[in-house]
Amino acid sequence: MSVPPDRTPPTVEIAGAPPVPAPTREQVLAGLRATDSGTDLVQLMTPEGERVANPEFDRYVADVDEAALRALHRDMVLVRRVDREANALQRQGQLGIWVPLLGQEAAQIGAGRALQPQDMAFPSYREHGIAWTRGIDPTELLGIFRGTDHGSWDPREHGFHLYTIVIGNQVLNATGYAMGQRFEGRVGGEDPAGNEATICFFGDGATSQGDVHEGFVWAAVYDAPVVFYCQNNQWAISEPTERQSRVPLYRRAAGYGFPGIRVDGNDVLACLAVTRWALEECRSGNGPVLVEAFTYRMDAHTTSDDPTRYRLADELELWKLKDPIERVRANLVREHGVGAEHFDALQAESDALAERFRAFCVDMPQPGPDRMFSEVYAEGSPQVDAQREAYLAYHASFEGAGR
Amino acid sequence: MTALTLSKAINEGLRAAMERDPKVIVMGEDVGKLGGVFRVTDGLQKDFGEQRVLDTPLAESGIIGAAVGLAIRGFRPVCEIQFDGFVFPGYDQIVSQLAKLHFRSQGRVPMPVVVRIPFGGGIGAVEHHSESPEALFAHVAGLKVVACSNPSDAYWMIQQAIACDDPVIFFEPKRRYWEKGEVDTDTEPGPLFASRVVRPGNAVTLATYGPLVTTCLEAATAAAGEEPARELEVVDLRTLSPLDLTPVLESVRRTGRLVVVSEAPSEVSVAAEVAARVQEECFHSLEAPVLRVTGFDTPYPPAKCEEDYLPDLDRVLDAVDRSLAW
Ligand SMILES: Cc1ncc(C[n+]2csc(CCOP(=O)(O)OP(=O)(O)O)c2C)c(N)n1
Ligand SMILES: [Mg+2]
């Protein structure tokens, strides 16, 4: 990839704000270098939707027939629809913030569909697609972003831990969980169906955090059955990946003594295949494994962010050509003759889901004044109890006073 | 005099300090191109270059630990922690190295490092973006801890903190970033480690800092307008470690009543320290027990509960009533 030498960066205007200088030419070049995927990328389907043979990984998706491919496509369409609806809900004041997954659907659906029910997943905060594959209804995500709870699902029941916002924390937690799987003999057993693995999600920026490095060390020392799944979406808010690393991220694994692999994160088949392989390695006792899903954050970091301050629209345009959903759609049409009525029906299904999601959101009840005092401790605390009592009495004194 | 938002005032203060001293460098996540998520460092990288405004790797232990090393080398780093709840990966470096090096080296290695932390709630954010961890720093010997509350102080205090040869944890009231105030950029208003009476009164003393100074001033205005009118004296503590309680003690000797107001949980808090010290020093002047209006001893709750969690005008006035009714 290259930038035409004569291009002059435009100045970006944002409504209501003073004009912001566009990124420099150096920055553009740096950004393009970071998005250059090179040759070391596992890909099973090209951006044009052409299935390419891969002797190493084809067998991990040998069972993916037309129906299965449609199902993967449907997953991606539905989570994108929910994502866009949530973004709109934030704009309309119904959510405090939203963290978009736009562009990362394949990286998440591929990884999520590789998991077995007995496996455990540790997300960061953008893993709405993984949540979907773990049977968590999208409405369950709303509380975090509307500000009514910190996560409403039962992590054990779904094999999906709560979202973790402090960058990197969950990598050590996932490692500990995986150590537990090993200590309990759930790794390398005769019956593969009884074996377990853990997968942990984090971003390119997170790879700089001490917790992530310590997680790598611990997992290596304890042969923990954990797949470290890094979604390299090229940006950590405003910082491109080369602010975090000199080498491609997957190559870091070698230094810790376990395999690292880079997969086309916009190729759902490749993500499925590579994650199945990685999980199998872990289940059979060859963990940990690092997977770098090479993808792109197509929207802002969050709804509070303004990416025009630090990256150029050109970069987004390039990545749009690699859209994770479009390539599967093209493949379904060309190689399987799937017709318009299928996609129309899917459109209708996604609209209905979005409508249900929206209706649920606007009807969410306000938590009561006692909520914050609940479940602070497993065994309670006299101090918190006393504060609850005093506050509820105070609160009640306003009743009818128009508070 | 110019009217500046609090965030712009810190920006201007940083700029002035950087112009004055080439050893002052700014470092943190997204502080360069983006100008920080609150735009406090807006434009600084453009004007001072990437060697003086560092978009660092995403690692708070790295930010603080590297700042310690840079300070050993003679720089005066100003670190930005993006949000209060993200300082903890850097806490080890703050407590183990930053706070102790001057003492350990018998004064040979000063640590002129500023750690800027936007703190407090009230912005409807998700977890870890609304906390008030100041007591965790005030408790650590070797650190100085301050909190600004208005644009003028923000402009001057950041420069004074940078000029200080001790490490300063600099708390910024994030929900007040966009509030404007007059800033006199010519006359330095007074020393950094000093509290200040920001509204005189005689009925009850309110001691507070950071985002709740505005709340307490509003409470004082409300109390003055009620029947019967009560004049509340408001003290902006500004420095939390070392505490400067002289204006508070002087005030309590006149009013006999003190309410300490802060967002942080009350247990083992700055408010608790103020209460303890005031009863030690002013026992015979007190007409009522020192009361605290604070956050609760719970994790910071989801945003829809913040109205219940955060001290507001009503809770401050309720405490004033209780103090007066004693
Ligand atoms: C310890 C910590 N420091 C800072 C932040 C603020 N922050 C939130 S997301 C983010 C960037 C994360 O980038 P990356 O790891 O690439 O994940 P992405 O958001 O791109 O998915 C930062 C700095 C945080 N959440 N936690
Ligand atoms: Mg990223």
Side-chain angles (χ1 to χ4, degrees), chain A residues 40-176:
Chain A
D40 43 8
L41 189 78
V42 177
Q43 187 181 70
L44 300 184
M45 192 182 282
T46 66
E48 294 72 37
E50 203 179 312
R51 180 72 169 82
V52 285
N54 183 309
E56 219 178 321
F57 286 100
D58 276 346
R59 65 193 173 95
Y60 290 95
V61 287
D63 61 326
V64 179
D65 55 10
E66 186 198 318
L69 195 58
R70 280 192 202 210
L72 292 169
H73 177 259
R74 172 178 173 273
D75 282 341
M76 292 195 290
V77 168
L78 295 183
V79 299
R80 179 175 287 189
R81 185 69 183 85
V82 165
D83 182 69
R84 294 299 83 195
E85 196 66 20
N87 224 67
L89 283 163
Q90 193 282 334
R91 296 291 180 231
Q92 293 151 9
Q94 294 294 336
L95 296 178
I97 193 171
W98 180 249
V99 183
L101 67 46
L102 191 71
Q104 298 178 220
E105 296 86 354
Q108 296 194 14
I109 295 301
R113 289 300 179 203
L115 292 167
Q116 296 295 321
Q118 73 271 21
D119 294 333
M120 184 69 185
F122 285 77
S124 61
Y125 42 78
R126 205 184 290 283
E127 274 67 65
H128 321 315
I130 307 295
W132 170 263
T133 65
R134 298 308 276 167
I136 290 168
D137 193 83
T139 55
E140 297 242 40
L141 304 172
L142 284 166
I144 298 171
F145 300 101
R146 194 168 162 93
T148 58
D149 59 48
H150 292 326
S152 62
W153 60 91
D154 180 343
R156 275 174 209 267
E157 184 191 324
H158 290 279
F160 187 74
H161 188 58
L162 295 181
Y163 277 9
T164 299
I165 292 175
V166 181
I167 300 292
N169 278 179
Q170 77 278 14
V171 176
L172 274 165
N173 307 150
T175 299

Side-chain angles (χ1 to χ4, degrees), chain A residues 21 27 97 144 146-150 165-167 205 208-209 236-239 243-244 309-310 366-367 369 371-373 376 383-384 387 391 394-395 398 403, chain B residues 28-30 33-34 39 42 46 55-60 82 86 126-129 266-267 296-305 308-309 312 314-315 318:
Chain A
Q27 202 191 2
I97 193 171
I144 298 171
R146 194 168 162 93
T148 58
D149 59 48
H150 292 326
I165 292 175
V166 181
I167 300 292
S208 293
Q209 196 66 278
I237 311 186
S238 72
E239 299 195 19
R243 296 241 44 87
Q244 319 288 345
R309 290 179 71 101
Y310 54 81
Q366 165 78 23
R371 163 62 187 96
M372 63 190 164
F373 301 103
V376 178
Q383 181 157 329
V384 173
Q387 289 183 2
Y391 183 68
Y394 166 80
H395 194 267
F398 285 91
R403 189 173 194 255
Chain B
E29 295 152 11
D30 306 288
K33 293 265 155 29
L34 184 63
R39 308 295 183 258
D42 194 20
K46 194 171 127 269
D55 265 330
T56 68
L58 205 177
E60 287 76 10
Q82 207 162 75
F86 305 144
V126 292
E127 274 185 288
H128 312 292
H129 290 73
S266 63
E267 193 175 14
F296 298 103
D297 291 311
T298 72
Y300 198 87
K304 292 278 186 199
C305 305
D308 289 313
Y309 183 87
D312 60 4
D314 287 331
R315 274 175 65 198
D318 173 67

Side-chain angles (χ1 to χ4, degrees), chain A residues 345-396:
Chain A
L346 184 54
Q347 177 71 43
E349 183 186 4
S350 71
D351 288 345
L353 174 61
E355 203 172 306
R356 178 169 70 79
F357 183 73
R358 165 175 291 271
F360 185 93
C361 180
V362 300
D363 278 347
M364 286 173 81
Q366 165 78 23
D370 59 329
R371 163 62 187 96
M372 63 190 164
F373 301 103
S374 310
E375 273 114 29
V376 178
Y377 297 94
E379 299 188 2
S381 144
Q383 181 157 329
V384 173
D385 290 347
Q387 289 183 2
R388 173 201 279 122
E389 218 164 285
Y391 183 68
L392 292 182
Y394 166 80
H395 194 267

Side-chain angles (χ1 to χ4, degrees), chain B residues 200-219:
Chain B
N202 51 25
V204 177
T205 306
L206 300 180
T208 186
Y209 55 91
L212 294 186
V213 173
T214 305
T215 308
C216 285
L217 287 171
E218 286 164 5

Side-chain angles (χ1 to χ4, degrees), chain A residues 39 186 278 307 339 369:
Chain A
T39 50
R186 295 311 194 139

